[in-house]
Amino acid sequence: RFIELFLQEGSFRYLTMCAQIAPVFGNTVTCFDEQGKIVRFEIGTPDAEQWARNFWGGIYKHFSEKGWLPMLVLRLQDEPHLPDHWKWARKIAAEVCPGVPCGEPLDTHAIAVQLAGECNQYVPRLEVYASDPFFYRERQKAGDTVWCYSCCFPEENWWLNKFIDLPHSYSRMIKWACYSQDITGFLHWGFNYWGDKTIYGIQPAARYKGDGYIVYPDVEHFDVLHSNRGVATREGLYDWELLHILAQKDAAAAKA
């Protein structure tokens, strides 16, 4: 019903499955038992494999029946740091979800290299991409897609990012940088992660000010208030589209 609501009221190109492996150094998959309680199975155990096969297999069947399969993209683990865990999940997903692409946000270049040939969509953080653009261009030549993202880091003020205490034009310029590098998507963090007010919030003590959200809650009207960073983000997306339109007539001018 949730997906049908968005199909009815708007449009999107992809539906991305949330990662099921605990993030970064996680070694468990998060599940629900028969009573709806959260349980965690350690990767590599029979319980974890059975659950993964049932879950991803069920998703594949349901999306096939609804005609949504061409829009589906898998995420297995957010910012994986233990590639063997990711590869365990990727092997199962490839068997029960044949042909469905899989990609991850990557906060280290070394892990990206280790996933080569098994990952279909690379989403390096901005400074991770900048550390070796040649590698990601080679992945594009091999048929993979490359997006990028920012989250917390890089936090030095000479990097493009979306913090409140950086020029808000940076939010727009990120999309220009994507165009200049032939990057075809930007994984945005975050839109409305209002729960954590100490790390990602707007309080003076927050380290990554505003990183968790670019809209604010309008409780009175059951709506959201758009920030300047949010407006700049949207304008950057428009610019990216306009540059592609220009490139159809004059690619050199668009790059310039």
Side-chain angles (χ1 to χ4, degrees):
R1 290 203 302 267
F2 182 80
I3 293 171
E4 286 170 345
L5 172 65
F6 275 82
L7 286 172
Q8 175 184 335
E9 298 296 334
S11 63
F12 48 79
R13 297 180 183 178
Y14 305 105
L15 293 163
T16 305
M17 286 298 305
C18 256
Q20 297 302 311
I21 305 175
V24 191
F25 289 101
N27 67 341
T28 59
V29 290
T30 304
C31 325
F32 293 101
D33 66 11
E34 293 85 348
Q35 287 75 44
K37 295 180 180 178
I38 294 176
V39 294
R40 293 179 174 85
F41 296 136
E42 188 173 342
I43 287 173
T45 62
D47 283 339
E49 179 161 350
Q50 186 63 53
W51 179 87
R53 289 184 177 278
N54 288 343
F55 179 76
W56 286 317
I59 291 292
Y60 184 86
K61 181 175 182 294
H62 179 65
F63 275 56
S64 296
E65 292 172 349
K66 300 293 288 186
W68 298 337
L69 201 58
M71 293 190 288
L72 182 61
V73 179
L74 294 177
R75 299 267 187 265
L76 304 178
Q77 184 178 30
D78 187 32
E79 298 180 340
H81 279 220
L82 299 173
D84 287 347
H85 291 174
W86 185 90
K87 290 180 180 181
W88 170 86
R90 184 67 183 110
K91 182 176 182 296
I92 296 172
E95 292 176 8
V96 300
C97 298
V100 177
C102 176
E104 306 295 349
L106 300 161
D107 64 343
T108 67
H109 180 60
I111 297 297
V113 173
Q114 292 184 65
L115 302 188
E118 299 184 64
C119 186
N120 310 114
Q121 185 187 76
Y122 292 80
V123 190
R125 203 165 55 194
L126 291 171
E127 86 282 13
V128 173
Y129 177 88
S131 70
D132 190 0
F134 177 79
F135 170 81
Y136 298 101
R137 291 175 189 142
E138 288 299 301
R139 296 318 311 163
Q140 288 174 311
K141 291 178 184 177
D144 300 326
T145 58
V146 174
W147 290 18
C148 66
Y149 78 109
S150 64
C151 175
C152 302
F153 302 98
E155 58 182 329
E156 296 86 359
N157 61 12
W158 55 83
W159 284 98
L160 296 177
N161 215 320
K162 304 188 301 296
F163 303 140
I164 287 175
D165 49 1
L166 289 178
H168 296 166
S169 58
Y170 281 16
S171 295
R172 185 172 189 165
M173 292 166 65
I174 286 174
K175 313 311 179 299
W176 300 2
C178 287
Y179 181 83
S180 75
Q181 298 297 309
D182 297 318
I183 293 170
T184 55
F186 186 81
L187 177 64
H188 179 74
W189 158 263
F191 184 74
N192 61 342
Y193 191 72
W194 297 320
D196 190 322
K197 300 182 184 302
T198 57
I199 301 176
Y200 309 113
I202 60 175
Q203 288 72 19
R207 179 171 180 178
Y208 313 111
K209 290 182 177 60
D211 198 43
Y213 43 89
I214 60 168
V215 296
Y216 305 105
D218 181 358
V219 177
E220 181 181 355
H221 301 99
F222 199 61
D223 202 347
V224 296
L225 299 171
H226 293 272
S227 69
N228 290 335
R229 294 171 300 134
V231 173
T233 296
R234 176 174 288 181
E235 289 175 341
L237 295 171
Y238 292 161
D239 292 342
W240 190 91
E241 296 284 0
L242 289 169
L243 287 165
H244 274 274
I245 293 170
L246 172 60
Q248 294 174 14
K249 295 183 178 180
D250 191 337
K255 283 290 185 180

